[in-house]
Amino acid sequence: MTIVLRYVDNLGFVKEIFIGVVHVKDTSSLTLKNALNEIRGQGYDGASNMRGEFYGLKVLILQENDTNFYVHCFAHQLQLVVVAVAKKHDDVSEFFEQISLVVNVVCASCKRKDLLWEQARQRVQKGLCSGEFETGRWLNQETTLVRAGDTRWGSHFNTLTSLMKLFADVLVVLEFVKVDGGSLANRQQASGILAYFKSYEFVFTYI
């Protein structure tokens, strides 16, 4: 468990100071309580083991020391708000639903994942031979599509970044599924995604 002190300075800037890493055998509320028992104020996310009404970490701490206070992590709240607001916009909501479907279809089997990886490998190899890609440490690392999570808005950014890097390779996999998908539903999904990629809504939202 990582312990970080977060506060706002006199200028209104949020500061974070790394305190240390504490080993915990599990993430149950009681175990976390014992590890945090000496800390006056805590801030965590809204998971049930943290803010549960009866057995959450917040309740266990307040039972022994009512001067402590619980703060639902503001950064986490902001991420939840951004995701909720984005879903209220029809085009943005449709966009991320389609992106989620892309990840599901392309990464649905080892065969498709292998095809994605092989296409990326060939593309990078060709780029290196032609001088289009630079060589160096940490460059041209193997990657895959990243699934977005509603509780982490940053994961949506990672999903889009991975799709940008692998877009040409993803198209190859989708064309493969469109023709040789294991079921009619799979072929229809791939065909629908490819059609969406050519739409004005996708291009406008993605760019």
Side-chain angles (χ1 to χ4, degrees), residues 85-128:
V85 171
K87 286 186 174 181
K88 295 297 183 180
H89 190 285
D90 291 343
D91 289 339
V92 175
S93 178
E94 170 69 11
F95 173 76
F96 280 110
E97 285 181 7
Q98 289 291 335
I99 298 302
S100 177
L101 185 59
V102 170
V103 178
N104 291 338
V105 172
V106 173
C107 300
S109 68
C110 293
K111 185 176 182 179
R112 297 177 193 176
K113 290 180 180 179
D114 289 344
L115 178 58
L116 179 68
W117 180 86
E118 179 61 23
Q119 288 296 318
R121 185 193 66 79
Q122 292 180 9
R123 177 174 50 80
V124 171
Q125 185 178 39
K126 182 178 179 180
L128 292 174

mmCIF file of all heavy atoms in Angstrom, residues 85-128:
data_model
loop_
_atom_site.group_PDB
_atom_site.id
_atom_site.type_symbol
_atom_site.label_atom_id
_atom_site.label_comp_id
_atom_site.label_asym_id
_atom_site.label_seq_id
_atom_site.Cartn_x
_atom_site.Cartn_y
_atom_site.Cartn_z
ATOM 1 N N VAL A 85 -20.256 12.755 -17.378
ATOM 2 C CA VAL A 85 -20.618 13.850 -18.273
ATOM 3 C C VAL A 85 -20.420 13.444 -19.730
ATOM 4 O O VAL A 85 -21.248 13.753 -20.598
ATOM 5 C CB VAL A 85 -19.783 15.113 -17.950
ATOM 6 C CG1 VAL A 85 -19.985 16.181 -19.020
ATOM 7 C CG2 VAL A 85 -20.166 15.659 -16.587
ATOM 8 N N ALA A 86 -19.318 12.743 -20.006
ATOM 9 C CA ALA A 86 -19.044 12.304 -21.377
ATOM 10 C C ALA A 86 -20.153 11.398 -21.888
ATOM 11 O O ALA A 86 -20.538 11.461 -23.061
ATOM 12 C CB ALA A 86 -17.701 11.590 -21.441
ATOM 13 N N LYS A 87 -20.690 10.560 -21.017
ATOM 14 C CA LYS A 87 -21.737 9.628 -21.431
ATOM 15 C C LYS A 87 -23.047 10.347 -21.735
ATOM 16 O O LYS A 87 -23.929 9.790 -22.387
ATOM 17 C CB LYS A 87 -21.968 8.573 -20.344
ATOM 18 C CG LYS A 87 -20.867 7.534 -20.263
ATOM 19 C CD LYS A 87 -21.216 6.442 -19.275
ATOM 20 C CE LYS A 87 -20.188 5.330 -19.291
ATOM 21 N NZ LYS A 87 -20.512 4.232 -18.350
ATOM 22 N N LYS A 88 -23.193 11.587 -21.254
ATOM 23 C CA LYS A 88 -24.401 12.354 -21.523
ATOM 24 C C LYS A 88 -24.395 12.947 -22.932
ATOM 25 O O LYS A 88 -25.436 13.384 -23.424
ATOM 26 C CB LYS A 88 -24.551 13.481 -20.500
ATOM 27 C CG LYS A 88 -24.779 13.005 -19.070
ATOM 28 C CD LYS A 88 -26.083 12.245 -18.933
ATOM 29 C CE LYS A 88 -26.333 11.849 -17.485
ATOM 30 N NZ LYS A 88 -27.600 11.096 -17.326
ATOM 31 N N HIS A 89 -23.227 12.973 -23.568
ATOM 32 C CA HIS A 89 -23.114 13.504 -24.932
ATOM 33 C C HIS A 89 -23.246 12.331 -25.893
ATOM 34 O O HIS A 89 -22.458 11.390 -25.859
ATOM 35 C CB HIS A 89 -21.769 14.206 -25.106
ATOM 36 C CG HIS A 89 -21.660 14.977 -26.374
ATOM 37 N ND1 HIS A 89 -21.483 14.379 -27.601
ATOM 38 C CD2 HIS A 89 -21.710 16.310 -26.614
ATOM 39 C CE1 HIS A 89 -21.411 15.296 -28.535
ATOM 40 N NE2 HIS A 89 -21.564 16.486 -27.962
ATOM 41 N N ASP A 90 -24.255 12.383 -26.749
ATOM 42 C CA ASP A 90 -24.577 11.226 -27.591
ATOM 43 C C ASP A 90 -23.392 10.779 -28.445
ATOM 44 O O ASP A 90 -23.085 9.582 -28.513
ATOM 45 C CB ASP A 90 -25.773 11.553 -28.496
ATOM 46 C CG ASP A 90 -27.064 11.702 -27.702
ATOM 47 O OD1 ASP A 90 -27.088 11.251 -26.548
ATOM 48 O OD2 ASP A 90 -28.028 12.264 -28.245
ATOM 49 N N ASP A 91 -22.732 11.728 -29.121
ATOM 50 C CA ASP A 91 -21.632 11.361 -30.022
ATOM 51 C C ASP A 91 -20.452 10.781 -29.255
ATOM 52 O O ASP A 91 -19.840 9.799 -29.683
ATOM 53 C CB ASP A 91 -21.179 12.586 -30.824
ATOM 54 C CG ASP A 91 -22.213 13.003 -31.859
ATOM 55 O OD1 ASP A 91 -23.053 12.165 -32.229
ATOM 56 O OD2 ASP A 91 -22.178 14.169 -32.291
ATOM 57 N N VAL A 92 -20.134 11.379 -28.110
ATOM 58 C CA VAL A 92 -19.006 10.890 -27.305
ATOM 59 C C VAL A 92 -19.327 9.520 -26.727
ATOM 60 O O VAL A 92 -18.487 8.610 -26.723
ATOM 61 C CB VAL A 92 -18.668 11.878 -26.177
ATOM 62 C CG1 VAL A 92 -17.576 11.309 -25.269
ATOM 63 C CG2 VAL A 92 -18.224 13.215 -26.753
ATOM 64 N N SER A 93 -20.561 9.355 -26.247
ATOM 65 C CA SER A 93 -20.972 8.066 -25.694
ATOM 66 C C SER A 93 -20.911 6.980 -26.759
ATOM 67 O O SER A 93 -20.386 5.882 -26.530
ATOM 68 C CB SER A 93 -22.389 8.176 -25.133
ATOM 69 O OG SER A 93 -22.825 6.931 -24.627
ATOM 70 N N GLU A 94 -21.440 7.284 -27.947
ATOM 71 C CA GLU A 94 -21.401 6.330 -29.052
ATOM 72 C C GLU A 94 -19.965 6.008 -29.446
ATOM 73 O O GLU A 94 -19.621 4.850 -29.732
ATOM 74 C CB GLU A 94 -22.157 6.911 -30.246
ATOM 75 C CG GLU A 94 -21.996 6.133 -31.555
ATOM 76 C CD GLU A 94 -22.661 4.777 -31.528
ATOM 77 O OE1 GLU A 94 -23.434 4.499 -30.582
ATOM 78 O OE2 GLU A 94 -22.419 3.982 -32.459
ATOM 79 N N PHE A 95 -19.118 7.026 -29.425
ATOM 80 C CA PHE A 95 -17.716 6.846 -29.801
ATOM 81 C C PHE A 95 -17.033 5.829 -28.885
ATOM 82 O O PHE A 95 -16.402 4.876 -29.356
ATOM 83 C CB PHE A 95 -17.001 8.195 -29.739
ATOM 84 C CG PHE A 95 -15.519 8.124 -29.944
ATOM 85 C CD1 PHE A 95 -14.994 7.943 -31.223
ATOM 86 C CD2 PHE A 95 -14.639 8.237 -28.883
ATOM 87 C CE1 PHE A 95 -13.630 7.875 -31.422
ATOM 88 C CE2 PHE A 95 -13.279 8.173 -29.072
ATOM 89 C CZ PHE A 95 -12.765 7.996 -30.347
ATOM 90 N N PHE A 96 -17.173 6.014 -27.582
ATOM 91 C CA PHE A 96 -16.483 5.115 -26.654
ATOM 92 C C PHE A 96 -17.132 3.733 -26.609
ATOM 93 O O PHE A 96 -16.461 2.737 -26.314
ATOM 94 C CB PHE A 96 -16.417 5.736 -25.259
ATOM 95 C CG PHE A 96 -15.322 6.749 -25.119
ATOM 96 C CD1 PHE A 96 -15.613 8.092 -24.995
ATOM 97 C CD2 PHE A 96 -13.991 6.366 -25.136
ATOM 98 C CE1 PHE A 96 -14.606 9.038 -24.882
ATOM 99 C CE2 PHE A 96 -12.973 7.296 -25.019
ATOM 100 C CZ PHE A 96 -13.280 8.632 -24.893
ATOM 101 N N GLU A 97 -18.421 3.650 -26.896
ATOM 102 C CA GLU A 97 -19.053 2.336 -27.005
ATOM 103 C C GLU A 97 -18.469 1.567 -28.185
ATOM 104 O O GLU A 97 -18.220 0.353 -28.096
ATOM 105 C CB GLU A 97 -20.564 2.495 -27.173
ATOM 106 C CG GLU A 97 -21.299 2.880 -25.896
ATOM 107 C CD GLU A 97 -22.794 2.997 -26.112
ATOM 108 O OE1 GLU A 97 -23.252 2.651 -27.222
ATOM 109 O OE2 GLU A 97 -23.492 3.429 -25.180
ATOM 110 N N GLN A 98 -18.256 2.270 -29.294
ATOM 111 C CA GLN A 98 -17.661 1.628 -30.469
ATOM 112 C C GLN A 98 -16.212 1.229 -30.198
ATOM 113 O O GLN A 98 -15.768 0.154 -30.609
ATOM 114 C CB GLN A 98 -17.737 2.574 -31.669
ATOM 115 C CG GLN A 98 -19.131 2.768 -32.228
ATOM 116 C CD GLN A 98 -19.666 1.524 -32.908
ATOM 117 O OE1 GLN A 98 -18.920 0.679 -33.378
ATOM 118 N NE2 GLN A 98 -20.984 1.421 -32.970
ATOM 119 N N ILE A 99 -15.472 2.090 -29.495
ATOM 120 C CA ILE A 99 -14.080 1.767 -29.169
ATOM 121 C C ILE A 99 -14.020 0.537 -28.272
ATOM 122 O O ILE A 99 -13.162 -0.344 -28.438
ATOM 123 C CB ILE A 99 -13.388 2.962 -28.487
ATOM 124 C CG1 ILE A 99 -13.356 4.172 -29.427
ATOM 125 C CG2 ILE A 99 -11.972 2.578 -28.063
ATOM 126 C CD1 ILE A 99 -12.667 3.925 -30.744
ATOM 127 N N SER A 100 -14.933 0.462 -27.320
ATOM 128 C CA SER A 100 -14.997 -0.714 -26.445
ATOM 129 C C SER A 100 -15.311 -1.965 -27.252
ATOM 130 O O SER A 100 -14.741 -3.039 -27.006
ATOM 131 C CB SER A 100 -16.068 -0.501 -25.369
ATOM 132 O OG SER A 100 -16.207 -1.647 -24.556
ATOM 133 N N LEU A 101 -16.194 -1.825 -28.240
ATOM 134 C CA LEU A 101 -16.524 -2.960 -29.103
ATOM 135 C C LEU A 101 -15.320 -3.385 -29.930
ATOM 136 O O LEU A 101 -15.106 -4.587 -30.166
ATOM 137 C CB LEU A 101 -17.696 -2.589 -30.015
ATOM 138 C CG LEU A 101 -18.262 -3.696 -30.906
ATOM 139 C CD1 LEU A 101 -18.763 -4.863 -30.060
ATOM 140 C CD2 LEU A 101 -19.390 -3.152 -31.774
ATOM 141 N N VAL A 102 -14.522 -2.417 -30.380
ATOM 142 C CA VAL A 102 -13.297 -2.729 -31.125
ATOM 143 C C VAL A 102 -12.382 -3.613 -30.291
ATOM 144 O O VAL A 102 -11.869 -4.644 -30.762
ATOM 145 C CB VAL A 102 -12.557 -1.436 -31.528
ATOM 146 C CG1 VAL A 102 -11.176 -1.770 -32.083
ATOM 147 C CG2 VAL A 102 -13.362 -0.657 -32.558
ATOM 148 N N VAL A 103 -12.177 -3.220 -29.030
ATOM 149 C CA VAL A 103 -11.303 -4.001 -28.144
ATOM 150 C C VAL A 103 -11.860 -5.408 -27.955
ATOM 151 O O VAL A 103 -11.123 -6.397 -27.993
ATOM 152 C CB VAL A 103 -11.145 -3.292 -26.785
ATOM 153 C CG1 VAL A 103 -10.281 -4.133 -25.849
ATOM 154 C CG2 VAL A 103 -10.528 -1.909 -26.962
ATOM 155 N N ASN A 104 -13.170 -5.495 -27.763
ATOM 156 C CA ASN A 104 -13.795 -6.807 -27.553
ATOM 157 C C ASN A 104 -13.631 -7.717 -28.768
ATOM 158 O O ASN A 104 -13.326 -8.905 -28.629
ATOM 159 C CB ASN A 104 -15.286 -6.637 -27.232
ATOM 160 C CG ASN A 104 -15.521 -6.019 -25.875
ATOM 161 O OD1 ASN A 104 -14.662 -6.067 -24.998
ATOM 162 N ND2 ASN A 104 -16.676 -5.419 -25.698
ATOM 163 N N VAL A 105 -13.849 -7.159 -29.960
ATOM 164 C CA VAL A 105 -13.792 -7.972 -31.175
ATOM 165 C C VAL A 105 -12.356 -8.362 -31.508
ATOM 166 O O VAL A 105 -12.067 -9.528 -31.795
ATOM 167 C CB VAL A 105 -14.423 -7.212 -32.361
ATOM 168 C CG1 VAL A 105 -14.186 -7.956 -33.670
ATOM 169 C CG2 VAL A 105 -15.919 -7.022 -32.132
ATOM 170 N N VAL A 106 -11.440 -7.398 -31.460
ATOM 171 C CA VAL A 106 -10.054 -7.653 -31.858
ATOM 172 C C VAL A 106 -9.352 -8.568 -30.861
ATOM 173 O O VAL A 106 -8.527 -9.405 -31.250
ATOM 174 C CB VAL A 106 -9.284 -6.324 -32.016
ATOM 175 C CG1 VAL A 106 -7.808 -6.573 -32.255
ATOM 176 C CG2 VAL A 106 -9.887 -5.505 -33.158
ATOM 177 N N CYS A 107 -9.671 -8.430 -29.587
ATOM 178 C CA CYS A 107 -8.967 -9.206 -28.552
ATOM 179 C C CYS A 107 -9.797 -10.385 -28.040
ATOM 180 O O CYS A 107 -9.557 -10.885 -26.942
ATOM 181 C CB CYS A 107 -8.592 -8.294 -27.382
ATOM 182 S SG CYS A 107 -7.515 -6.919 -27.817
ATOM 183 N N ALA A 108 -10.767 -10.809 -28.839
ATOM 184 C CA ALA A 108 -11.681 -11.861 -28.388
ATOM 185 C C ALA A 108 -11.044 -13.242 -28.365
ATOM 186 O O ALA A 108 -11.545 -14.144 -27.692
ATOM 187 C CB ALA A 108 -12.929 -11.885 -29.273
ATOM 188 N N SER A 109 -9.962 -13.439 -29.101
ATOM 189 C CA SER A 109 -9.337 -14.760 -29.147
ATOM 190 C C SER A 109 -7.832 -14.621 -29.309
ATOM 191 O O SER A 109 -7.336 -13.576 -29.743
ATOM 192 C CB SER A 109 -9.904 -15.588 -30.303
ATOM 193 O OG SER A 109 -9.510 -15.036 -31.547
ATOM 194 N N CYS A 110 -7.134 -15.683 -28.972
ATOM 195 C CA CYS A 110 -5.674 -15.683 -29.130
ATOM 196 C C CYS A 110 -5.287 -15.561 -30.600
ATOM 197 O O CYS A 110 -4.275 -14.939 -30.934
ATOM 198 C CB CYS A 110 -5.089 -16.966 -28.537
ATOM 199 S SG CYS A 110 -5.259 -17.095 -26.746
ATOM 200 N N LYS A 111 -6.085 -16.135 -31.466
ATOM 201 C CA LYS A 111 -5.799 -16.081 -32.905
ATOM 202 C C LYS A 111 -5.815 -14.643 -33.396
ATOM 203 O O LYS A 111 -4.931 -14.226 -34.152
ATOM 204 C CB LYS A 111 -6.821 -16.917 -33.667
ATOM 205 C CG LYS A 111 -6.545 -17.030 -35.165
ATOM 206 C CD LYS A 111 -7.539 -17.959 -35.834
ATOM 207 C CE LYS A 111 -7.228 -18.120 -37.321
ATOM 208 N NZ LYS A 111 -8.187 -19.055 -37.979
ATOM 209 N N ARG A 112 -6.796 -13.870 -32.955
ATOM 210 C CA ARG A 112 -6.884 -12.474 -33.375
ATOM 211 C C ARG A 112 -5.775 -11.644 -32.747
ATOM 212 O O ARG A 112 -5.209 -10.751 -33.383
ATOM 213 C CB ARG A 112 -8.255 -11.903 -33.012
ATOM 214 C CG ARG A 112 -9.404 -12.596 -33.723
ATOM 215 C CD ARG A 112 -10.752 -12.047 -33.275
ATOM 216 N NE ARG A 112 -11.840 -12.911 -33.721
ATOM 217 C CZ ARG A 112 -13.110 -12.713 -33.412
ATOM 218 N NH1 ARG A 112 -13.465 -11.674 -32.663
ATOM 219 N NH2 ARG A 112 -14.036 -13.550 -33.853
ATOM 220 N N LYS A 113 -5.470 -11.918 -31.494
ATOM 221 C CA LYS A 113 -4.373 -11.207 -30.834
ATOM 222 C C LYS A 113 -3.047 -11.485 -31.534
ATOM 223 O O LYS A 113 -2.227 -10.582 -31.715
ATOM 224 C CB LYS A 113 -4.286 -11.616 -29.357
ATOM 225 C CG LYS A 113 -5.419 -11.113 -28.498
ATOM 226 C CD LYS A 113 -5.234 -11.570 -27.054
ATOM 227 C CE LYS A 113 -6.358 -11.084 -26.167
ATOM 228 N NZ LYS A 113 -6.189 -11.549 -24.760
ATOM 229 N N ASP A 114 -2.839 -12.746 -31.897
ATOM 230 C CA ASP A 114 -1.612 -13.104 -32.614
ATOM 231 C C ASP A 114 -1.541 -12.406 -33.967
ATOM 232 O O ASP A 114 -0.471 -11.962 -34.394
ATOM 233 C CB ASP A 114 -1.540 -14.621 -32.804
ATOM 234 C CG ASP A 114 -1.264 -15.361 -31.502
ATOM 235 O OD1 ASP A 114 -0.825 -14.700 -30.533
ATOM 236 O OD2 ASP A 114 -1.500 -16.578 -31.454
ATOM 237 N N LEU A 115 -2.678 -12.318 -34.645
ATOM 238 C CA LEU A 115 -2.716 -11.628 -35.936
ATOM 239 C C LEU A 115 -2.406 -10.152 -35.759
ATOM 240 O O LEU A 115 -1.649 -9.568 -36.551
ATOM 241 C CB LEU A 115 -4.093 -11.801 -36.588
ATOM 242 C CG LEU A 115 -4.310 -11.083 -37.928
ATOM 243 C CD1 LEU A 115 -3.283 -11.533 -38.961
ATOM 244 C CD2 LEU A 115 -5.729 -11.318 -38.432
ATOM 245 N N LEU A 116 -2.957 -9.540 -34.708
ATOM 246 C CA LEU A 116 -2.675 -8.126 -34.422
ATOM 247 C C LEU A 116 -1.195 -7.927 -34.143
ATOM 248 O O LEU A 116 -0.565 -6.994 -34.668
ATOM 249 C CB LEU A 116 -3.504 -7.672 -33.219
ATOM 250 C CG LEU A 116 -3.315 -6.219 -32.778
ATOM 251 C CD1 LEU A 116 -3.870 -5.270 -33.826
ATOM 252 C CD2 LEU A 116 -4.002 -5.982 -31.432
ATOM 253 N N TRP A 117 -0.632 -8.813 -33.322
ATOM 254 C CA TRP A 117 0.779 -8.705 -32.978
ATOM 255 C C TRP A 117 1.660 -8.883 -34.211
ATOM 256 O O TRP A 117 2.632 -8.152 -34.406
ATOM 257 C CB TRP A 117 1.131 -9.759 -31.939
ATOM 258 C CG TRP A 117 2.577 -9.724 -31.530
ATOM 259 C CD1 TRP A 117 3.146 -8.952 -30.573
ATOM 260 C CD2 TRP A 117 3.642 -10.508 -32.106
ATOM 261 N NE1 TRP A 117 4.497 -9.195 -30.505
ATOM 262 C CE2 TRP A 117 4.832 -10.141 -31.427
ATOM 263 C CE3 TRP A 117 3.703 -11.471 -33.108
ATOM 264 C CZ2 TRP A 117 6.063 -10.712 -31.726
ATOM 265 C CZ3 TRP A 117 4.932 -12.034 -33.409
ATOM 266 C CH2 TRP A 117 6.094 -11.658 -32.728
ATOM 267 N N GLU A 118 1.330 -9.846 -35.058
ATOM 268 C CA GLU A 118 2.135 -10.125 -36.250
ATOM 269 C C GLU A 118 2.066 -8.948 -37.229
ATOM 270 O O GLU A 118 3.083 -8.571 -37.825
ATOM 271 C CB GLU A 118 1.644 -11.401 -36.920
ATOM 272 C CG GLU A 118 2.395 -11.777 -38.196
ATOM 273 C CD GLU A 118 3.875 -12.033 -37.983
ATOM 274 O OE1 GLU A 118 4.254 -12.352 -36.831
ATOM 275 O OE2 GLU A 118 4.643 -11.912 -38.954
ATOM 276 N N GLN A 119 0.900 -8.364 -37.394
ATOM 277 C CA GLN A 119 0.766 -7.208 -38.277
ATOM 278 C C GLN A 119 1.593 -6.035 -37.758
ATOM 279 O O GLN A 119 2.267 -5.340 -38.528
ATOM 280 C CB GLN A 119 -0.710 -6.799 -38.388
ATOM 281 C CG GLN A 119 -1.561 -7.755 -39.187
ATOM 282 C CD GLN A 119 -1.125 -7.831 -40.642
ATOM 283 O OE1 GLN A 119 -0.812 -6.840 -41.282
ATOM 284 N NE2 GLN A 119 -1.105 -9.042 -41.173
ATOM 285 N N ALA A 120 1.561 -5.823 -36.449
ATOM 286 C CA ALA A 120 2.345 -4.736 -35.854
ATOM 287 C C ALA A 120 3.834 -4.994 -36.017
ATOM 288 O O ALA A 120 4.618 -4.078 -36.304
ATOM 289 C CB ALA A 120 1.982 -4.578 -34.375
ATOM 290 N N ARG A 121 4.239 -6.257 -35.827
ATOM 291 C CA ARG A 121 5.657 -6.604 -35.965
ATOM 292 C C ARG A 121 6.145 -6.349 -37.382
ATOM 293 O O ARG A 121 7.219 -5.765 -37.586
ATOM 294 C CB ARG A 121 5.872 -8.072 -35.597
ATOM 295 C CG ARG A 121 7.343 -8.493 -35.586
ATOM 296 C CD ARG A 121 7.472 -9.999 -35.528
ATOM 297 N NE ARG A 121 6.973 -10.620 -36.743
ATOM 298 C CZ ARG A 121 7.685 -10.680 -37.886
ATOM 299 N NH1 ARG A 121 8.898 -10.139 -37.958
ATOM 300 N NH2 ARG A 121 7.175 -11.268 -38.952
ATOM 301 N N GLN A 122 5.366 -6.772 -38.368
ATOM 302 C CA GLN A 122 5.757 -6.571 -39.762
ATOM 303 C C GLN A 122 5.814 -5.084 -40.115
ATOM 304 O O GLN A 122 6.716 -4.643 -40.837
ATOM 305 C CB GLN A 122 4.772 -7.289 -40.685
ATOM 306 C CG GLN A 122 4.822 -8.806 -40.599
ATOM 307 C CD GLN A 122 3.822 -9.478 -41.529
ATOM 308 O OE1 GLN A 122 3.197 -8.828 -42.376
ATOM 309 N NE2 GLN A 122 3.659 -10.794 -41.377
ATOM 310 N N ARG A 123 4.864 -4.316 -39.594
ATOM 311 C CA ARG A 123 4.832 -2.883 -39.882
ATOM 312 C C ARG A 123 6.050 -2.178 -39.293
ATOM 313 O O ARG A 123 6.682 -1.337 -39.946
ATOM 314 C CB ARG A 123 3.548 -2.272 -39.320
ATOM 315 C CG ARG A 123 3.436 -0.763 -39.500
ATOM 316 C CD ARG A 123 2.077 -0.267 -39.043
ATOM 317 N NE ARG A 123 1.730 -0.752 -37.724
ATOM 318 C CZ ARG A 123 2.188 -0.221 -36.588
ATOM 319 N NH1 ARG A 123 3.018 0.819 -36.627
ATOM 320 N NH2 ARG A 123 1.833 -0.712 -35.418
ATOM 321 N N VAL A 124 6.395 -2.536 -38.061
ATOM 322 C CA VAL A 124 7.562 -1.930 -37.412
ATOM 323 C C VAL A 124 8.848 -2.346 -38.118
ATOM 324 O O VAL A 124 9.743 -1.526 -38.350
ATOM 325 C CB VAL A 124 7.611 -2.319 -35.921
ATOM 326 C CG1 VAL A 124 8.933 -1.878 -35.300
ATOM 327 C CG2 VAL A 124 6.444 -1.684 -35.169
ATOM 328 N N GLN A 125 8.946 -3.622 -38.470
ATOM 329 C CA GLN A 125 10.131 -4.117 -39.168
ATOM 330 C C GLN A 125 10.320 -3.395 -40.498
ATOM 331 O O GLN A 125 11.437 -2.988 -40.857
ATOM 332 C CB GLN A 125 10.021 -5.621 -39.387
ATOM 333 C CG GLN A 125 11.274 -6.249 -39.998
ATOM 334 C CD GLN A 125 11.120 -7.758 -40.134
ATOM 335 O OE1 GLN A 125 10.050 -8.257 -40.471
ATOM 336 N NE2 GLN A 125 12.195 -8.489 -39.867
ATOM 337 N N LYS A 126 9.227 -3.210 -41.223
ATOM 338 C CA LYS A 126 9.290 -2.501 -42.502
ATOM 339 C C LYS A 126 9.684 -1.046 -42.291
ATOM 340 O O LYS A 126 10.492 -0.486 -43.054
ATOM 341 C CB LYS A 126 7.929 -2.581 -43.192
ATOM 342 C CG LYS A 126 7.891 -1.917 -44.562
ATOM 343 C CD LYS A 126 6.513 -2.069 -45.205
ATOM 344 C CE LYS A 126 6.464 -1.383 -46.565
ATOM 345 N NZ LYS A 126 5.109 -1.524 -47.197
ATOM 346 N N GLY A 127 9.145 -0.432 -41.246
ATOM 347 C CA GLY A 127 9.480 0.958 -40.957
ATOM 348 C C GLY A 127 10.929 1.143 -40.567
ATOM 349 O O GLY A 127 11.574 2.136 -40.927
ATOM 350 N N LEU A 128 11.481 0.180 -39.835
ATOM 351 C CA LEU A 128 12.886 0.252 -39.443
ATOM 352 C C LEU A 128 13.799 0.089 -40.648
ATOM 353 O O LEU A 128 14.826 0.778 -40.772
ATOM 354 C CB LEU A 128 13.193 -0.820 -38.396
ATOM 355 C CG LEU A 128 12.542 -0.634 -37.017
ATOM 356 C CD1 LEU A 128 12.805 -1.844 -36.133
ATOM 357 C CD2 LEU A 128 13.067 0.631 -36.341
#
